[in-house]
Amino acid sequence: MSHLLVVILSLLLLVPSARGEEVKLNQAKVQGKAIKAWANSLTDIDYNATHWAQTFHQQPANFFEHYVEQLSDLFSEKNAMVNFVMVGACDGTHDRTIRDRFLPSNHWRGVFVEPFEINHRDLVAFMDSHGAKDRATVLRAAATFRCNDTTVKMKRPTFEEKNKSLPHWMRREIGSIVPFDKLDRPASGGWIFEHVPCVNGQKILQNWTYALGLAQPGDAENRVRLRPHVLKVDVEGHDYEVLMGFLHDGIPNAALPLLISFEAKSILKHFDRLKGHLEQRGYAVSHLATDGFALLKAEHIFAGMSSTQRAQAEEGGDKAVDGGGRRRRRKRKGKRSDAAEDSGATDSREDAADAEGGGEKRRKKRRNRKKRQEE
């Protein structure tokens, strides 16, 4: 094969890649504009929990659905995708957000986490039967804040196997993590144990990013994660631990969920602590009820970013808000990669420091070094 032919073939292979990068960049810009529009649509009355209760019949589930509808409509107008994360998805058949928002809305994509085999199997089939399989990533796993092992031991009742005439919630919606001090106990009558992978919030988002092809394990972008716009958690009293995996202090504001729904009464002893943490991160939070709702205030959606970073984020999408370090490294390499579409999350200490304004010393050193090189 001649050298000229090799060059021609190489160029032909590069063209689809370049086009793909351009498409991703355009998508990232669309996402960024949608998030900016969402932030601009919020006013002080949207942060008033008493107003929510008076307007939406006291129920936080209604608050959540109201703002989900608003966000969905706005993103649709901007031709942007809504990123939906649901932990404790069960088989998908009885969830209001899946039924009324995700399934009929082609501009929604989601990751659904469910530990039990029968629910996971039926959830995959449910998505397929409604033509949503290509928009749904279904993970069989158990979520918590911090995994002490690669797997978790779960238990559920055997009502499904014994009596299918029982209500759905009895057959499919009961289950829990086996406490550490009871791991060695054998299953008693009426219960089934299952060992499943353990994940936290950031692992869920990372696996989702891989599944969508926005990054691959081992790539330079392997810390890129999608930003959840809508987060729903329903895990039978384990909601606090799961939520902290998405909300802990190491998560930059630019990666926080915009809307959150969770079970409140089932985590009664943790509610005040969770509410305080959410408010500290910039959320308006509903009063104690059966369910809980939190909305990220507009001024906190891009909080901690410099004016330059914010301008880039609003113009270029979530990909531009993952901290200055990665963006500068891409620039030095002469690349414009947007595999971080909808991102904002990174474990890099340098990125986190830059996002909080703590990277000024490093930036000054780099400027001085560059000045010396130019001289």
Side-chain angles (χ1 to χ4, degrees):
M1 184 180 295
S2 69
H3 178 69
L4 179 60
L5 183 56
V6 171
V7 171
I8 292 173
L9 288 174
S10 298
L11 291 173
L12 289 174
L13 290 173
L14 286 173
V15 169
S17 177
R19 287 176 179 170
E21 290 299 312
E22 183 179 358
V23 169
K24 287 181 180 180
L25 181 59
N26 290 335
Q27 290 174 342
K29 288 181 178 180
V30 169
Q31 295 295 106
K33 289 178 180 178
I35 292 176
K36 179 182 178 181
W38 169 253
N40 290 339
S41 74
L42 298 173
T43 64
D44 288 345
I45 196 67
D46 294 308
Y47 312 142
N48 189 320
T50 301
H51 169 75
W52 298 342
Q54 294 172 345
T55 307
F56 306 115
H57 309 293
Q58 305 292 330
Q59 298 301 320
N62 294 336
F63 315 162
F64 175 72
E65 291 299 332
H66 168 77
Y67 284 103
V68 164
E69 182 178 9
Q70 284 194 355
L71 183 142
S72 180
D73 290 346
L74 190 151
F75 271 57
S76 179
E77 291 172 5
K78 300 295 181 182
N79 295 314
M81 297 294 294
V82 175
N83 294 336
F84 177 40
V85 178
M86 184 166 185
V87 182
C90 194
D91 58 11
T93 59
H94 283 58
D95 182 75
R96 181 178 173 184
T97 310
I98 292 177
R99 181 191 68 221
D100 296 343
R101 302 294 166 206
F102 180 80
L103 290 178
S105 304
N106 288 328
H107 68 291
W108 279 55
R109 60 187 172 192
V111 59
F112 303 89
V113 183
E114 170 57 39
F116 295 112
E117 191 276 331
I118 57 173
N119 285 340
H120 177 270
R121 177 200 66 208
D122 290 352
L123 178 59
V124 171
F126 182 69
M127 293 297 176
D128 190 22
S129 67
H130 285 77
K133 186 176 181 180
D134 292 341
R135 296 186 287 114
T137 300
V138 183
L139 303 178
R140 188 184 175 204
T144 188
F145 174 41
R146 183 177 291 109
C147 293
N148 297 316
D149 203 343
T150 56
T151 61
V152 172
K153 189 175 183 179
M154 303 289 298
K155 68 175 183 178
R156 68 169 179 85
T158 57
F159 293 139
E160 175 71 19
E161 289 79 5
K162 291 181 177 179
N163 188 353
K164 293 185 182 296
S165 66
L166 292 172
H168 181 272
W169 69 267
M170 290 184 66
R171 295 181 291 108
R172 295 298 186 107
E173 299 177 26
I174 299 176
S176 63
I177 293 177
V178 177
F180 183 78
D181 59 351
K182 298 180 180 179
L183 291 176
D184 295 331
R185 294 186 182 182
S188 59
W191 291 89
I192 289 177
F193 289 155
E194 297 184 29
H195 288 83
V196 297
C198 180
V199 294
N200 58 22
Q202 299 312 294
K203 188 67 174 178
I204 292 168
L205 299 177
Q206 190 176 71
N207 287 344
W208 189 21
T209 306
Y210 293 162
L212 293 177
L214 299 176
Q216 295 296 328
D219 289 351
E221 299 296 338
N222 66 355
R223 283 178 160 177
V224 174
R225 303 180 183 97
L226 290 171
R227 178 182 195 162
H229 302 135
V230 179
L231 171 63
K232 192 168 189 177
V233 177
D234 185 358
V235 287
E236 298 297 314
H238 202 63
D239 298 54
Y240 175 76
E241 289 79 5
V242 173
L243 286 168
M244 290 305 295
F246 293 92
L247 301 167
H248 64 78
D249 290 335
I251 307 297
N253 278 59
L256 291 174
L258 303 180
L259 301 172
I260 302 174
S261 173
F262 59 95
E263 284 193 313
K265 277 203 170 178
S266 65
I267 56 166
L268 184 60
K269 65 179 181 180
H270 295 302
F271 180 79
D272 288 341
R273 189 191 314 174
L274 175 62
K275 187 173 187 290
H277 183 78
L278 283 164
E279 290 173 342
Q280 180 262 323
R281 292 310 312 263
Y283 287 89
V285 187
S286 61
H287 304 309
L288 179 62
T290 303
D291 297 305
F293 168 65
L295 179 153
L296 187 62
K297 298 178 182 179
E299 62 266 31
H300 294 274
I301 289 176
F302 299 118
M305 300 171 62
S306 68
S307 58
T308 301
Q309 289 172 331
R310 177 163 182 162
Q312 290 172 325
E314 292 174 348
E315 174 62 25
D318 305 80
K319 73 179 188 65
V321 300
D322 61 349
R326 185 187 297 129
R327 186 164 54 255
R328 285 190 294 274
R329 290 193 292 274
R330 289 178 189 156
K331 187 175 181 180
R332 287 197 295 269
K333 293 178 182 178
K335 295 181 179 178
R336 285 299 303 272
S337 168
D338 79 288
E341 178 211 350
D342 296 314
S343 180
T346 175
D347 291 335
S348 164
R349 293 181 180 179
E350 178 182 348
D351 292 352
D354 284 349
E356 295 298 327
E360 180 58 34
K361 290 183 179 179
R362 283 190 295 276
R363 291 193 290 271
K364 186 175 181 180
K365 287 181 180 179
R366 281 192 285 270
R367 287 196 297 269
N368 291 339
R369 184 166 57 248
K370 182 177 180 180
K371 184 176 180 181
R372 289 194 299 269
Q373 291 173 348
E374 291 174 348
E375 293 173 348

